[in-house]
Amino acid sequence: MEFTKMHGAGNDYVYVDARAMPEHDWGQLSQAISDRHFGVGSDGLILVMDSDVADLKMRMFNVDGSEGEMCGNGIRCFAKYAIERGIVPRSVGEVTIDTMAGVRTVVPRYDGSEINAARVSMGKPRFAPSDIPVNLDPAISLNRQTIINYAIHPGDFRLFLTFVSMGNPHAVTFIDQPVEEFPLHNIGPLVERHPIFPKRVNFEVVNIRDDGNLDARVWERGSGETMACGTGACAIGVASRLLGHTGDRVAVHLPGGTLTIDWDGTDEVYLEGPAGRGF
Ligand SMILES: N[C@H](CCC[C@H](N)C(=O)O)C(=O)O
């Protein structure tokens, strides 16, 4: 099986052109191929597939074999893959990609002839408990369209979560403790699998550096801590603007790199960041 390894800010995936391949147990393949000792090693598997509503279709699977509705870092590399292999003509200047979260448009950025970054329209964020999804006491969630600062007590911690869906579920918390000191590997699984999340959740811890910069780490649903998370950075930028910490544009600094988020408070979220080969 031919594959290509690429990463967006260190969030690395194995890409397989599955357009002419028979149906597989892709989840099982993702578990095997993602293993960093017995497999290729990655944060998951991304498939290139034909689409009748966009240039191509993307399916993505986490390390544990679960399928994610959207992958913001992966979709930038996906567009790079499609153009550099001539699947989509370079002259078009953008790639439309069908995902479980909907059709997304990716505009590549060039360094000479090489694509080294991209800007993605990531759709509108959603906040209603049923859209996340999150199951809360009706006394809290009934007729509430946005849930901010919802308290949970994982381990010895008391965290205040803001819920954002980017097609996949996110729980964002802003903390004073430096994110690099936060016990993410202990607390992350407790939040990911908290009983209020029927589909589990991606969990983000954030420090506010100033009104244009945030420092964050992400515990991803189905993959654990990653060096960066594109949909997570979108959820962080959206939650931060909702809570009045930052404005329409914010730089989210993650261990693997910086992602820029634009959101005017009503329309689509735009994500810009690197797209590179993983050597
Ligand atoms: N773990 C995520 C999918 C990957 C998202 C992330 N790698 C990104 O760049 O958006 C989920 O199950 O919702």
Side-chain angles (χ1 to χ4, degrees):
M1 175 182 288
E2 283 193 22
F3 69 85
T4 298
K5 183 84 188 296
M6 295 189 285
H7 70 92
N11 186 203
D12 60 333
Y13 290 94
V14 171
Y15 290 74
V16 171
D17 186 345
R19 289 180 296 163
M21 288 178 66
E23 191 51 30
H24 266 61
D25 182 342
W26 301 114
Q28 192 175 33
L29 178 63
S30 185
Q31 287 177 307
I33 213 163
S34 299
D35 190 296
R36 295 197 185 274
H37 301 287
F38 297 101
V40 174
S42 68
D43 289 329
L45 170 69
I46 289 183
L47 302 179
V48 180
M49 307 183 95
D50 284 323
S51 168
D52 50 19
V53 296
D55 291 327
L56 289 164
K57 177 178 182 178
M58 176 178 87
R59 290 183 72 186
M60 74 78 50
F61 297 83
N62 294 303
V63 168
D64 70 355
S66 61
E67 186 165 7
E69 299 86 347
M70 183 59 196
C71 184
N73 284 322
I75 204 169
R76 297 198 306 278
C77 296
F78 187 105
K80 173 184 174 72
Y81 182 99
I83 291 173
E84 290 184 349
R85 278 166 181 71
I87 303 173
V88 174
R90 186 178 288 254
S91 56
V92 172
E94 64 184 35
V95 184
T96 57
I97 301 162
D98 185 25
T99 75
M100 284 173 69
V103 175
R104 299 291 183 255
T105 302
V106 184
V107 178
R109 303 291 196 219
Y110 287 87
D111 176 12
S113 65
E114 174 97 10
I115 294 171
N116 66 350
R119 178 175 171 81
V120 193
S121 60
M122 293 290 285
K124 290 188 175 184
R126 289 181 293 160
F127 306 102
S130 57
D131 287 335
I132 301 302
V134 61
N135 296 330
L136 304 178
D137 180 330
I140 296 171
S141 62
L142 198 61
N143 301 327
R144 290 278 302 275
Q145 286 312 304
T146 305
I147 306 287
I148 59 173
N149 294 332
Y150 178 82
I152 64 167
H153 306 83
D156 299 334
F157 280 77
R158 179 180 166 89
L159 298 174
F160 296 93
L161 303 180
T162 295
F163 304 131
V164 182
S165 171
M166 292 305 300
N168 59 349
H170 293 270
V172 184
T173 188
F174 295 85
I175 60 174
D176 295 326
Q177 179 185 23
V179 292
E180 58 273 14
E181 295 172 11
F182 184 83
L184 189 59
H185 289 241
N186 300 337
I187 303 301
L190 301 179
V191 178
E192 174 192 359
R193 297 177 178 279
H194 195 286
I196 61 173
F197 299 114
K199 291 187 175 178
R200 299 186 287 164
V201 78
N202 297 285
F203 170 52
E204 291 87 15
V205 290
V206 190
N207 294 153
I208 303 162
R209 193 189 297 183
D210 58 42
D211 64 2
N213 293 278
L214 302 169
D215 295 293
R217 289 170 66 198
V218 186
W219 181 267
E220 281 201 27
R221 175 181 66 170
S223 291
E225 181 171 13
T226 57
M227 299 287 279
C229 177
T231 51
C234 292
I236 289 165
V238 165
S240 183
R241 190 186 188 288
L242 269 184
L243 295 173
H245 300 317
T246 50
D248 291 5
R249 166 166 286 200
V250 66
V252 179
H253 304 283
L254 295 143
T258 295
L259 302 178
T260 301
I261 306 302
D262 289 305
W263 185 53
D264 65 2
T266 56
D267 201 356
E268 286 205 68
V269 183
Y270 292 88
L271 160 67
E272 182 147 1
R277 291 192 195 295
F279 290 103

